[in-house]
Amino acid sequence: MKSLVVKDIKKTFRLSKKQRKIEQTDETKKVALRGVSFEAQPGEIFGLLGPNGAGKTTALRCIATLIKPDQGDITVDGFSAIKASSEVRKRIAFLTNEMKLEDHFTPNYLFRYFSRLHNISDEVSEMRKQALFKRFGIDKFQEVKVSDLSTGMKQKISIAISLVHDPDYIIFDEPTNGLDVLTARTVTDYLLEMRAEGKTVILSTHILNVVEKLCDRVGIIIDGEMKALDSLENVQNIASDQTLETLFFDLVKESAVEEHA
Amino acid sequence: MRNIFTVFRKEMYRVLSDMRLVLMIFLLPGISIFAMYWLIGTLIQNQTEAVQQHTIIVYEENMPADIRSSLEGLVDLERPVNMEFHSIDTLEDSDLKEKVREGDIDVVLRFDADFEAKISNYDQAEAPSLFIIYNYGRQNSSFGYNQISSVLNQYQSMKLMERLEDPSHAQIFVTDYADDIVDERQMTGQGFAMLLPFLIVIFLFAGAMSIGPDSIAGEKERNTIATLLITPIKRSEIAIGKISSLALLSFISALSSFVGLAFSLPKLMQMDTNGVEYNIYEPIHFVLILFTLMATVLIIVGLIAVISAYAKTIKEASMLIMPFYLVTMIIGLLSSFGTEPSGQLIVHFIPIYGSVNFLSSIFVFQYDFANFVAVIVSSVVYTSLFIYLLTRLFSSEKVMFQK
C-alpha cells in the first residue's frame, strides 16, 4: 500500500532557558503540532505551507523519524515511523536547511559513503552518482571539497546525496531557500520530474509561487494546526479572489485574532 | 558489521586525509614530548655541569693543614672539585653572611684557634668548635658544603681512630651484604613502573581528547549529525563505528607520544650513551601491555564519546571532559608513585586505575594472568556500557537536536 499517512500527530517541546530568552516567553513548553493529519500519494507533490514557526519543519522531522510525535503516528508504505523507523528511513529522502554535509569531504566521497550506509552496491551507486551529478551540474566539482563550493552547489550536493537510494518519498523542507534563480529552477524542475516518475514529494515552503507552480495538493499549517487541506485548486477557491496569497494571509490573520482573544 | 566499518572508515579518512590533523594528532605529540623531555634533560645536565665546574669560594679562619690539603685534593677526583681559599681576616660574621646570601662566597669555615691542639688534648680541654656559614638556597653553596662536609667527616673519623691505641679497635662490627638479592631487571622495571603507566594513560587520554569532541560534538555543532541519523543505519552501529575509530586514532596518537618519550628518556634520566635498557622485557610482556592499552583506550574513548554526544558544542564537550582528565591524572599518579602495584583481583575491575595498576605490575614483573583477564573483561563491560549510553544519546532527540 504505497502512501504516506500522517495521522493526528501532536508534538510539544520543552523550552530551554536559552530558547525562552530568544522567544521572549516565560512558558516552559511550546506546542508545535496540535493534531496534524494529511496524506500524500504516489505521483503527487504535496505542499505544506505556513509562516515561520508554524510547525512545518517539526511535522517533516517527525515523518523523517528524527523526532517522535508525542501522539499520533506516521506510516510510510504501512511502516510506522515510531515502531519501524529504520524501514521508513529506507524509503524516504529528507532535506532541510538545518542538515549540512561535512565540509572536509568531496561530493564523490560523500555520495559513496551515504550509498554504503543505504546498503547500495558500488556499481549501482556509481551509476546513480553519474546521473545525479550530471543532472545537477556537480560532475565538474565532484573532487572539490564541500567547504570550497558555493551555497547553491552545496544545496545541490545535499539534494543529490539525499537521493542516493532512489527513494519513493521525497521530503524537502524549503529546498530553494537561499538559492539563486537558476539553481532554484534546477531543483523545482527536478521535483516535477520526480512526480512524473511516480514518486511522492512533500514540499514545505513559505514561497507561494513555488506552491502554485508545483503542488497538486496543499496543506496550510498555522500555529501547529492544519487550517486548510485540499487540492491546490480547491484551496485557492476558498479565497475571495481565488488566490493562495489572499487565503494564506486571511488564515494567518484569523489565527492571530483567535490567539489574541 | 558493514555499516560499522563504513562509519569507521569515514572517521579514519576524515583524520588521515587532513594533513593538519595528521600533524596535530600523530606527529606533534611525539615531537613535542621528545623536545620537551630532551630539553628538560639537557637543562638538568647543564645545571649539574655548571655546579660541578664552578670554583667553590671558601673563606676560612684557622683551617687545619690536614683539612686544607684534603679539600685541595678534591681537584684530583674523576669529577674534579675546584676550591679557592681566602682568609676571613677582618670580615665580620654579618658581612660574611651577607656575601654568602648574595652568592659572592659559597662557604665560610671559622675554626677555633688551636683547633688541632684542642683535638689532641681532648682529655684536658673542651672540644673545639667549627662555625660554618653556607646557603642551602644556592646550588653552588650547597654543593660546596656537601663536599666540605664529607671531608670533615673523614677527618673526624681519622682523629677518632688516632685516639685509640689500636686503630682496629675503632671497628665495632663488620657489615656484609648479600650481593645476589637484587634483580637488575626488577630494579630497572621499577623505574619504568614509576614513570610510564602514568604517562601512557595521560597520552591516551590526551590523544582521545584531541579528536573525540570534534567527531561527535563537532557533528552536532556543524549540523551534520542529522544527515547521518536519517540513514537506515542503527544508532548502535554509529556508536560502535565512532568509538572503534576514535580508539584506533587515539592509540596511534598515544604511540607517537610514547616514541617521543622513548627517545628522550635516556636524556631525561641522565643516563650514559648506552641509553635505557628496554630489552629487559620479553614478547609476552609487550603483548600484555598492548592488550591492556587497547582495553584502556576503549574505556577512555567511550567516556569521551558519551560526554561529547551529550555536549552541544566542541567547547562544552572539552569543558566537561576536563574534570575526568584531571581524575585520570590523579589515578595515574596514585598508581605510579604510590606503593607497589596491588595484586588484588578486585582492584583490576576499577576502570583506568586497574589498567594503570596492571601496567605497573607488568613493568616490575609481578603480574598475574587472572588480573589481566579482570582488566580485559571489565574494560569490555565498561565499553559496552558506554556504547549503550552513546546509542541512547544518539536516539534522544532532546540531546541530538535541542539548541
Side-chain angles (χ1 to χ4, degrees), chain B residues 312-371:
Chain B
K312 290 184 179 74
T313 60
I314 298 173
K315 194 177 164 190
E316 189 186 346
S318 306
M319 214 168 67
L320 293 173
I321 290 166
M322 200 46 81
F324 291 94
Y325 186 45
L326 294 175
V327 169
T328 305
M329 282 176 91
I330 293 166
I331 287 172
L333 278 171
L334 283 175
S335 183
S336 296
F337 297 101
T339 52
E340 285 203 337
S342 169
Q344 277 187 298
L345 187 69
I346 190 84
V347 167
H348 296 83
F349 286 102
I350 305 170
I352 302 175
Y353 182 80
S355 308
V356 176
N357 187 75
F358 187 70
L359 281 174
S360 297
S361 64
I362 300 172
F363 285 123
V364 294
F365 308 96
Q366 289 174 1
Y367 60 90
D368 188 333
F369 276 103
N371 293 340

Side-chain angles (χ1 to χ4, degrees), chain A residues 195-210:
Chain A
R195 178 176 65 183
E197 282 180 24
K199 312 261 187 203
T200 309
V201 180
I202 298 179
L203 188 67
S204 145
T205 184
H206 56 258
I207 305 169
L208 302 175
N209 281 347
V210 172

Side-chain angles (χ1 to χ4, degrees), chain B residues 33-93:
Chain B
I33 290 283
F34 172 77
M36 190 172 75
Y37 286 142
W38 188 86
L39 188 69
I40 292 171
T42 306
L43 290 175
I44 293 171
Q45 192 178 11
N46 288 349
Q47 204 173 30
T48 311
E49 281 172 6
V51 170
Q52 281 170 352
Q53 283 165 8
H54 170 76
T55 300
I56 298 159
I57 310 294
V58 181
Y59 271 64
E60 56 85 14
E61 189 177 60
N62 304 323
M63 184 186 280
D66 286 348
I67 295 177
R68 172 77 173 250
S69 110
S70 296
L71 289 174
E72 283 171 343
L74 294 176
V75 79
D76 299 323
L77 292 176
E78 193 184 343
R79 284 183 174 170
V81 179
N82 295 300
M83 288 197 185
E84 194 179 292
F85 295 93
H86 299 270
S87 175
I88 290 173
D89 290 332
T90 54
L91 283 168
E92 293 295 322
D93 279 358

Side-chain angles (χ1 to χ4, degrees), chain A residues 7-60:
Chain A
K7 199 174 172 189
D8 194 27
I9 56 167
K10 292 180 182 169
K11 183 73 184 173
T12 302
F13 291 111
R14 194 175 285 277
L15 294 176
S16 65
K17 265 187 187 173
K18 191 179 161 187
Q19 287 168 319
R20 286 207 294 270
K21 206 174 170 186
I22 292 167
E23 300 205 3
Q24 294 178 327
T25 177
D26 293 329
E27 299 288 326
T28 54
K29 287 176 180 176
K30 183 188 178 182
V31 182
L33 297 172
R34 302 165 193 270
V36 168
S37 302
F38 64 90
E39 273 187 52
Q41 302 299 330
E44 77 167 7
I45 298 180
F46 178 85
L48 201 54
L49 198 62
N52 290 337
K56 305 186 298 288
T57 304
T58 304
L60 297 189

Side-chain angles (χ1 to χ4, degrees), chain A residues 176-247:
Chain A
T176 55
N177 240 13
L179 298 183
D180 63 62
V181 182
L182 287 174
T183 316
R185 180 66 182 263
T186 314
V187 174
T188 52
D189 284 353
Y190 189 75
L191 293 177
L192 290 169
E193 271 177 44
M194 291 294 99
R195 178 176 65 183
E197 282 180 24
K199 312 261 187 203
T200 309
V201 180
I202 298 179
L203 188 67
S204 145
T205 184
H206 56 258
I207 305 169
L208 302 175
N209 281 347
V210 172
V211 177
E212 283 172 335
K213 197 177 131 193
L214 297 179
C215 297
D216 303 298
R217 290 198 312 122
V218 177
I220 300 177
I221 188 167
I222 295 168
D223 198 20
E225 275 183 87
M226 193 66 92
K227 295 285 183 182
L229 176 67
D230 213 327
S231 67
L232 178 67
E233 207 179 293
N234 288 347
V235 167
Q236 280 171 326
N237 284 338
I238 302 170
S240 51
D241 61 352
Q242 297 193 334
T243 63
L244 194 58
E245 192 176 358
T246 305
L247 174 68

